[in-house]
Amino acid sequence: LTNGVTDSYPYIKLALDTKLPVRLPFPRVAYRVTQNIILNGNSFEGMAAAPERYGSEDIAKVIIEFDGVTGDAVQNINTLSSVKNIWFRQKNWSTQLNGLYLSRYAYFEDCMFTHFNGHGFYSNSTGVAGSANAYHSVFNRSQFLYNAKHGVGLFNGANAITLRDCLARWNGSPFYDVQPTIVGLYDGLYVDGDNPDFPDGG
């Protein structure tokens, strides 16, 4: 895989399409990605992981940085996927982008979704045509920080999703990488089972 200046998307997509486990090396090196990543039945992991990663500790995480991507950076739609020790973030706010859209159950451990010009993570559970739902998804020790909208948004019946030892703060960020000063404009965790306008509810 390539990193830094070169677009890593073709290499990541090729690895994901094989359905074999994907393990990314090089902690603290940003893999530049110019299209969204579809996870359907994948095991996707950052290799250089410390034994324990809590709070805001991120120094061992592999970084995937989205550049010029719109919509939803990461999607899991049809099949269970597992993602561990990856930091997903937007390079800047030149485009409207959510971090993770989930309409099929998945397992995330020690992951981060930060600096997105939208929601860090959102789900509607009813999914898209032909897909299942996000029920029984699990997030362990994952973080949702500095996003322009909600850190975690659960819309239209997206329940039965487990968040364990997760952190969602500094969402509702008015500018890239800036803590919000207006209380309650957007939230770390937002739940609205009747909102028809996801992911723009708030």
Side-chain angles (χ1 to χ4, degrees):
L1 286 173
T2 61
N3 57 73
V5 176
T6 305
D7 185 7
S8 298
Y9 174 78
Y11 304 93
I12 291 175
K13 183 179 186 303
L14 179 63
L16 291 173
D17 286 347
T18 66
K19 298 292 185 178
L20 296 174
V22 179
R23 294 183 174 88
L24 301 180
F26 309 123
R28 303 293 289 175
V29 172
Y31 291 91
R32 177 174 172 262
V33 173
T34 59
Q35 296 183 51
N36 60 13
I37 292 176
I38 309 295
L39 300 168
N40 282 321
N42 295 111
S43 175
F44 194 38
E45 183 174 355
M47 293 172 60
E52 295 183 358
R53 303 165 296 281
Y54 297 99
S56 295
E57 180 60 53
D58 60 38
I59 60 173
K61 296 192 187 308
V62 170
I63 300 170
I64 294 181
E65 189 170 67
F66 293 86
D67 187 2
V69 183
T70 60
D72 303 313
V74 181
Q75 302 173 31
N76 200 67
I77 299 173
N78 296 314
T79 310
L80 170 66
S81 294
S82 175
V83 184
K84 297 181 181 180
N85 205 51
I86 304 287
W87 179 0
F88 300 96
R89 71 185 186 197
Q90 188 172 6
K91 182 178 181 180
N92 55 53
W93 283 1
S94 61
T95 60
Q96 185 71 30
L97 184 64
N98 300 297
L100 169 66
Y101 169 60
L102 204 60
S103 68
R104 179 60 167 162
Y105 66 106
Y107 177 80
F108 288 82
E109 182 174 310
D110 295 297
C111 289
M112 297 175 67
F113 291 88
T114 76
H115 299 88
F116 287 98
N117 192 16
H119 302 294
F121 152 58
Y122 78 98
S123 178
N124 67 338
S125 88
T126 54
V128 296
S131 72
N133 58 54
Y135 288 4
H136 310 300
S137 293
V138 175
F139 292 82
N140 278 331
R141 298 183 302 274
S142 294
Q143 301 180 46
F144 312 90
L145 315 172
Y146 287 109
N147 300 294
K149 295 185 178 179
H150 304 304
V152 176
L154 304 180
F155 304 102
N156 294 325
N159 55 18
I161 293 175
T162 301
L163 302 169
R164 295 194 187 107
D165 196 18
C166 291
L167 181 65
R169 63 181 177 184
W170 303 323
N171 297 290
S173 178
F175 304 102
Y176 190 88
D177 200 37
V178 174
Q179 293 184 26
T181 57
I182 301 175
V183 177
L185 183 61
Y186 286 99
D187 303 293
L189 172 64
Y190 181 85
V191 180
D192 186 351
D194 298 320
N195 192 328
D197 297 322
F198 76 93
D200 296 319

